[in-house]
Amino acid sequence: MPEGDTVFRAARRLHEALAGHEVTRFDLRVPRHATADLTGEIVHEVTARGKHLLMRIGEYTLHSHLKMEGRWLLFRPGEAWRSPAHQARAIVGTAQAVAVGFEIAMVDLVPTSDEDQLVGHLGPDLLGPDWDAAEAARRVASDPRAVHVAILDQRNLAGLGNEYANELLFVRGILPTRPATEVDAVGLVDTASRMIRANRDRNGRTFTGDSRPGRQNWVYRRERRSCRRCGTPIRRTELGASETSERIVFWCPRCQT
């Protein structure tokens, strides 16, 4: 599932392959930008902002969001793609590499000077160079909603997805429905930062420290299985800021209070 660490690694791979090179192929397969053409421009940088990916080309920024299924893959020029062509939404090629965004949910092209229109609402970025833990804790601590909802709100802190939210609250021993105003926001944000940074450079996440298949998670997707700490069956419910934004929540009723 693409979360902040996944997008960070994708941006790093794309930057290493494309930055400093001239665009030789540019194709956005979305109606609004279908005629856009940045061939001849230089790729200056590819970076992540929370779960958003920003590719700065010439005076423009190509913005994408992976959502649930999206992915950026790299190929050599002329190499056959490993995913169906009809799933491609964005193609940026140079003489050295071709980057293809498959099933990416959002594709926007704006002048780089207008980038904040797309990502300016985001809170402190857990993996960003300007990470501000104090500001992130302040935002979480002032949110009266269930803490699971509060830490998934990218306006509070950017980069956490549902897997991280579930694992983070278990590690901190916090019931997902507890109001964020009642938790130790400073400790919660500190653990979130250490957790995502520990996974940032791994190909496979682990929250338990065990990378073996089936052993990486404490509670996520483990409903009715025994808690790894106390043996109590893990429970499952749904929480969200609205009915259309509900996420599946997993917790141990004994370890999380």
Side-chain angles (χ1 to χ4, degrees), residues 64 168 185 190 212 234 245:
S64 59
L168 172 62
D190 177 68
R212 290 177 294 176
I234 300 299
S245 63

Side-chain angles (χ1 to χ4, degrees), residues 38-156:
L38 295 184
T39 56
E41 301 288 351
I42 301 298
V43 179
H44 300 302
E45 181 182 22
V46 185
T47 189
R49 183 80 172 89
K51 295 191 284 184
H52 299 252
L53 193 144
L54 305 171
M55 190 179 297
R56 296 171 181 140
I57 306 170
E59 297 181 354
Y60 287 85
T61 294
L62 174 60
H63 161 263
S64 59
H65 195 295
L66 303 183
K67 291 292 185 178
M68 294 292 291
E69 305 295 337
R71 60 207 179 277
W72 277 94
L73 301 181
L74 282 166
F75 304 95
R76 296 185 301 274
E79 180 183 2
W81 295 351
R82 296 188 297 276
S83 291
H86 72 268
Q87 295 179 353
R89 297 292 178 268
I91 305 165
V92 180
T94 69
Q96 292 76 26
V98 178
V100 185
F102 294 98
E103 297 187 286
I104 48 181
M106 297 180 184
V107 179
D108 296 291
L109 186 67
V110 299
T112 300
S113 58
D114 295 337
E115 206 173 86
D116 275 356
Q117 294 179 6
L118 301 174
V119 296
H121 66 286
L122 298 175
D125 183 354
L126 282 153
L127 294 177
D130 56 348
W131 165 238
D132 188 339
E135 175 59 18
R138 185 194 69 78
R139 296 188 185 202
V140 171
S142 63
D143 194 325
R145 298 173 297 176
V147 65
H148 185 273
V149 175
I151 61 177
L152 282 182
D153 190 330
Q154 302 299 296
R155 296 170 298 181
N156 288 334

Side-chain angles (χ1 to χ4, degrees), residues 191-207:
T191 302
S193 176
R194 289 187 286 111
M195 185 177 282
I196 198 169
R197 288 176 184 271
N199 279 312
R200 183 186 64 184
D201 299 322
R202 292 180 176 137
N203 289 325
R205 296 185 195 120
T206 178
F207 298 94

Side-chain angles (χ1 to χ4, degrees), residues 177-251:
T177 54
R178 190 174 180 183
T181 52
E182 297 179 5
V183 307
D184 174 9
V186 172
L188 184 67
V189 166
D190 177 68
T191 302
S193 176
R194 289 187 286 111
M195 185 177 282
I196 198 169
R197 288 176 184 271
N199 279 312
R200 183 186 64 184
D201 299 322
R202 292 180 176 137
N203 289 325
R205 296 185 195 120
T206 178
F207 298 94
T208 62
D210 191 336
S211 59
R212 290 177 294 176
R215 301 289 299 177
Q216 302 99 322
N217 294 91
W218 293 104
V219 293
Y220 186 68
R221 291 184 175 176
R222 298 194 66 246
E223 69 270 26
R224 296 189 296 276
R225 299 181 188 177
S226 298
C227 174
R228 300 191 192 281
R229 283 182 177 168
C230 71
T232 302
I234 300 299
R235 293 184 183 178
R236 165 181 168 161
T237 188
E238 294 183 357
L239 284 175
S242 66
E243 291 184 1
T244 58
S245 63
E246 287 185 339
R247 298 291 183 268
I248 300 173
V249 179
F250 306 87
W251 84 99

